[in-house]
Amino acid sequence: MKKVLVLHTGGTISMTQEKDGAVGLSASHPLKESMDLIPDNVEVVVEEIFNLPSPHITPKEMLLLKKRIEKAQTQNFDGVVITHGTDTLEETAYFLDISFKKEIAVVLTGAMRSSNELGSDGLYNYVQAIITASDDKSKDQGVLVVMNDEIHAGRFVTKTHTTSVDTFRTPTFGPIGILSKRQVIFLKEVVEHHALNIESVDGKVILLKAYAGMDAMLFDVLKESRVDGVVIEALGAGNLPPQVITSLKELIDSGIPVSLVSRCSNGIAEDIYDYEGGGIPLRKMGVMFVKGLTGPKARLRMLVGINARLSHHELRQFMTE
Ligand SMILES: NC(=O)C[C@H](N)C(=O)O
């Protein structure tokens, strides 16, 4: 018998649609009645840890989930399933991936259609997530996201469509597994990466997106405000418009860590160009190039690094490894 802890956190998977089409919180959790569909060899323990639409979730709720999973690791559970709103699901998945050492499977799932909508995907994804979490193969793959018969690494998965049930994709690398009608099939192994152990999520790390004609004012404002770190979604391979460089340099020289990812949805940021604002001068100036993460995930990575009290040098290593 396998034992899986389910943590409901809210989102569309826990919502219902009204007659006028508006989707909102449900009085009682729609997945409550689903026990008959769970495989006989799995014992499920259900907790509603909170009930929030995922745009309301902050690193504080993510930390709460981390602590509950750490406790579950001492309570003989084989895995944990977290049901979550899809808007920020990838951020919670990534936070859990890098903020503690996992000994059991951790799987996140959600729904794009609420419980009483035609073609609702919540119950299906929920059962598939439980099957995945109870499978021995899921233990050493980092935090997983199961949606629409696919298994994605929490580290790289992202929501790509506003409403389609086929919204979660892993650009560049693809899903790491699938769920067939009969089994959980992994197609790839996630390369192990080191997680830090944190007990707090304090500090302000700001995310900015670069654009043609970007205004230096954004960096001047950040220099005057009390921020603890900045992540930039830069252009292409990792470049910025020249007019922001002086202000950016002043920000870095004032001791604020600055990291960069690409705003492109595929590929990784690297220092390739040597013109003003190009990646080579940016790296020499002290900008930390992050490999393959989206901006929101790189922002969480810096927040975790700061809360692990890494030195400047250690934070640089953590952000660029
Ligand atoms: N499909 C969803 O779950 C979207 C919803 N707005 C949420 O993230 O809570």
Side-chain angles (χ1 to χ4, degrees), residues 11-132:
T12 299
I13 195 165
S14 65
M15 295 182 185
T16 46
Q17 189 181 46
E18 299 301 322
K19 282 209 172 69
D20 65 359
V23 175
L25 293 177
S26 197
S28 116
H29 203 289
L31 296 177
K32 241 186 189 163
E33 315 301 332
S34 62
M35 289 304 179
D36 290 355
L37 296 165
I38 291 163
D40 293 339
N41 65 334
V42 185
E43 182 197 342
V44 170
V45 176
V46 180
E47 290 176 19
E48 189 167 317
I49 190 160
F50 41 85
N51 189 1
L52 296 170
S54 79
H56 295 200
I57 285 181
T58 71
K60 287 203 167 63
E61 283 78 29
M62 298 178 194
L63 189 66
L64 207 63
L65 284 167
K66 167 200 124 93
K67 288 185 175 161
R68 182 63 191 94
I69 300 169
E70 280 178 323
K71 192 170 161 205
Q73 298 197 140
T74 66
Q75 293 175 316
N76 286 328
F77 283 103
D78 297 284
V80 176
V81 167
I82 299 169
T83 68
H84 198 290
T86 56
D87 291 348
T88 63
L89 185 148
E90 67 208 62
E91 284 167 78
T92 298
Y94 185 66
F95 178 90
L96 297 174
D97 209 36
I98 57 166
S99 58
F100 69 105
K101 191 168 164 26
K102 269 146 293 298
E103 287 149 22
I104 58 176
V106 179
V107 180
L108 278 86
T109 194
M112 293 302 289
R113 297 178 186 146
S114 64
S115 56
N116 58 341
E117 277 177 67
L118 257 186
S120 171
D121 53 334
L123 187 52
Y124 186 81
N125 286 337
Y126 179 57
V127 174
Q128 297 289 64
I130 290 173
I131 291 171
T132 308

Side-chain angles (χ1 to χ4, degrees), residues 215-248:
D215 205 311
M217 178 200 89
L218 294 165
F219 296 103
D220 297 333
V221 169
L222 290 179
K223 201 171 46 157
E224 297 314 317
S225 324
R226 283 219 175 130
V227 298
D228 301 287
V230 177
V231 173
I232 310 166
E233 282 188 21
L235 307 172
N239 311 303
L240 288 173
Q243 68 275 10
V244 304
I245 300 305
T246 307
S247 299
L248 175 62

Side-chain angles (χ1 to χ4, degrees), residues 194 196 257 259 288 301-302 304-321:
H194 88 268
L196 299 172
S259 263
M288 302 178 251
R301 190 171 183 86
M302 193 182 275
V304 167
I306 289 169
N307 280 278
R309 313 251 179 274
L310 298 184
S311 69
H312 211 76
H313 172 72
E314 289 166 335
L315 185 66
R316 171 168 299 279
Q317 247 179 330
F318 181 61
M319 293 306 290
T320 57
E321 70 189 12

Side-chain angles (χ1 to χ4, degrees), residues 274-287:
D274 203 4
Y275 51 72
E276 194 188 0
I280 292 177
L282 288 178
R283 186 184 48 77
K284 286 184 183 157
M285 202 190 283
V287 176

Side-chain angles (χ1 to χ4, degrees), residues 112-167:
M112 293 302 289
R113 297 178 186 146
S114 64
S115 56
N116 58 341
E117 277 177 67
L118 257 186
S120 171
D121 53 334
L123 187 52
Y124 186 81
N125 286 337
Y126 179 57
V127 174
Q128 297 289 64
I130 290 173
I131 291 171
T132 308
S134 62
D135 193 298
D136 287 337
K137 297 191 290 293
S138 304
K139 254 182 203 146
D140 305 315
Q141 294 277 33
V143 172
L144 301 172
V145 173
V146 166
M147 293 278 294
N148 205 32
D149 281 338
E150 290 184 343
I151 307 171
H152 293 264
R155 197 165 157 195
F156 294 122
V157 71
T158 191
K159 185 176 180 178
T160 63
H161 194 288
T162 51
T163 52
S164 167
V165 294
D166 185 22
T167 182

